Amino acid sequence: MPHRIAVLALDGLLPFELGIPQRIFGRSFGTEAHDKGRRLYEVVTCSVRAPGPIRTDADFTITVEHGPEALATADTVVIPASYELGPVHTEGRLTDELAAAFAHVRPGTRMVSICTGSYVLAAAGYLDGRPATTHWWHADHFQRLFPKVRVDPDVLFIDDGDVLTSAGVAAGIDLCLHIVRRDHGAAVANDVARRTVVPPHRDGGQAQYIQRPVPDPQFSTTITARTWALGRLERPIMLRDMAQQESMSVRTFTRRFREEVGVSPVQWLTRQRVERARQLLESTDLSIDQVARDAGFGTSTSLRQHLQAALGVSPTVYRRTFRAGQV
């Protein structure tokens, strides 16, 4: 049976965020010969009340055909953003309707929030003692309201196993693609990303959108250096070499890079090499030593250390997991 996802629609919801799970999960199909074209997820939308109309922040309402009992059948629950959270947003507590709805959720269900949907997860206690993120605009308020949560306002999303949170708005796409990749591997996630006309993985975090979302066109950017580096990840790449691609000093390049991407050049390079290693582990039979060389880590020991730090697993375990098509 397909993995069942219940999307909880709350009054004041943002239609864009509500549509993300259906667009990403609802268009995820098997790519291997044995399951090609098979629908991998079943997505249902439900309300905290009986089926009926739900207000949005736009000039229209939507009609939801499932009540809160749908949460009892879900393997994953997704909570999009809403502008009418009431005491959830002001006092950090669930309304009676929300509390009754969450009573349907089975133990072990994966919980996911998009944007300010994180307020609902936090008010329900799912984020206590955990790392989480939310829209950068609300991060300070969120941290004051929920001091037990370890808020990171800079990332696009956080995967803490059975509880995942995303930053604002379009970061919900990044998170849902990440979940597809975690569940079914890069081939499926890349296929969905192509259908959605979005990159399967975005660099950096929210920091790049807070002060300078779009680089001023009168200044040089770091795109040339990034493109150059991606074409030679398997070779040694020095910071001064990247700076030379943009005819900048190392200091200016490092500052401009962080402004545009949200992380340092060294952090970005490591992430790109981890992504290259993941692709090779998933799609080739190369030895671990060869994967390490082709990804630019040099040795299997270095690859193991970086993959463990980034993903929490060894290269061998990662390959076995995704070759089996399971988490």
Side-chain angles (χ1 to χ4, degrees), residues 85 88-93 113-153 158 163-166 206:
L85 292 177
V88 173
H89 186 269
T90 58
E91 303 173 34
R93 64 175 180 85
S113 68
I114 297 175
C115 193
T116 56
S118 56
Y119 277 80
V120 179
L121 288 186
Y126 285 100
L127 300 182
D128 287 354
R130 290 179 178 263
T133 192
T134 190
H135 195 297
W136 63 266
W137 183 268
H138 299 276
D140 289 342
H141 175 263
F142 184 87
Q143 184 66 90
R144 292 193 302 271
L145 194 62
F146 303 107
K148 294 182 180 179
V149 183
R150 304 200 306 273
V151 181
D152 186 343
I158 289 179
V163 179
L164 301 92
T165 53
S166 86
Q206 292 194 83

Side-chain angles (χ1 to χ4, degrees), residues 27 119 132 165 185 216 224 254 258 267:
R27 295 296 184 270
Y119 277 80
T165 53
D216 191 325
T224 299
T254 301
R258 186 178 286 278
Q267 290 172 316

Side-chain angles (χ1 to χ4, degrees), residues 17-302:
E17 280 89 332
L18 179 67
I20 291 173
Q22 177 61 50
R23 175 68 239 188
I24 302 300
F25 298 119
R27 295 296 184 270
S28 296
F29 302 96
T31 58
E32 299 295 331
H34 68 280
D35 69 348
K36 193 170 183 64
R38 179 174 68 88
R39 190 176 295 277
L40 301 175
Y41 299 93
E42 177 188 7
V43 184
V44 298
T45 305
C46 63
S47 168
V48 295
R49 302 183 295 272
I54 299 291
R55 295 189 303 276
T56 73
D57 76 328
D59 62 343
F60 57 84
T61 61
I62 64 169
T63 300
V64 174
E65 298 183 357
H66 301 277
E69 64 279 355
L71 297 173
T73 66
D75 302 302
T76 295
V77 172
V78 180
I79 305 173
S82 166
Y83 282 151
E84 296 182 20
L85 292 177
V88 173
H89 186 269
T90 58
E91 303 173 34
R93 64 175 180 85
L94 296 179
T95 63
D96 291 341
E97 279 187 329
L98 270 172
F102 271 102
H104 291 278
V105 178
R106 296 174 297 173
T109 299
R110 183 166 59 187
M111 305 299 292
V112 178
S113 68
I114 297 175
C115 193
T116 56
S118 56
Y119 277 80
V120 179
L121 288 186
Y126 285 100
L127 300 182
D128 287 354
R130 290 179 178 263
T133 192
T134 190
H135 195 297
W136 63 266
W137 183 268
H138 299 276
D140 289 342
H141 175 263
F142 184 87
Q143 184 66 90
R144 292 193 302 271
L145 194 62
F146 303 107
K148 294 182 180 179
V149 183
R150 304 200 306 273
V151 181
D152 186 343
D154 295 328
V155 297
L156 292 175
F157 61 82
I158 289 179
D159 179 345
D160 196 38
D162 59 341
V163 179
L164 301 92
T165 53
S166 86
V169 198
I173 298 176
D174 298 283
L175 177 55
C176 290
L177 284 172
H178 167 76
I179 292 172
V180 172
R181 178 170 187 148
R182 199 181 91 169
D183 289 351
H184 299 286
V188 176
N190 290 346
D191 180 65
V192 178
R194 283 193 294 270
R195 292 170 181 265
T196 313
V197 199
V198 295
H201 174 78
R202 276 199 292 169
D203 299 323
Q206 292 194 83
Q208 60 188 308
Y209 301 103
I210 296 175
Q211 294 182 342
R212 193 179 177 185
V214 180
D216 191 325
Q218 67 177 308
F219 296 107
S220 299
T221 71
T222 60
I223 294 175
T224 299
R226 280 179 273 160
T227 302
W228 175 83
L230 287 173
R232 51 182 294 129
L233 286 177
E234 73 282 1
R235 309 178 205 174
I237 299 175
M238 305 299 291
L239 185 56
R240 65 173 179 271
D241 297 330
M242 294 184 68
Q244 286 175 358
Q245 303 304 310
E246 305 291 355
S247 300
M248 297 181 189
S249 68
V250 170
R251 181 176 180 180
T252 299
F253 175 78
T254 301
R255 174 176 56 79
R256 189 72 53 75
F257 194 100
R258 186 178 286 278
E259 288 174 351
E260 294 178 11
V261 181
V263 295
S264 72
V266 173
Q267 290 172 316
W268 178 84
L269 271 175
T270 298
R271 290 182 182 180
Q272 302 313 307
R273 284 173 166 151
V274 167
E275 289 302 311
R276 173 71 62 82
R278 291 171 70 169
Q279 294 169 4
L280 294 173
L281 290 169
E282 292 178 24
S283 60
T284 74
D285 294 317
L286 295 175
S287 68
I288 301 300
D289 287 334
Q290 187 62 56
V291 169
R293 289 193 292 271
D294 288 357
F297 288 116
T299 67
S300 59
T301 299
S302 178

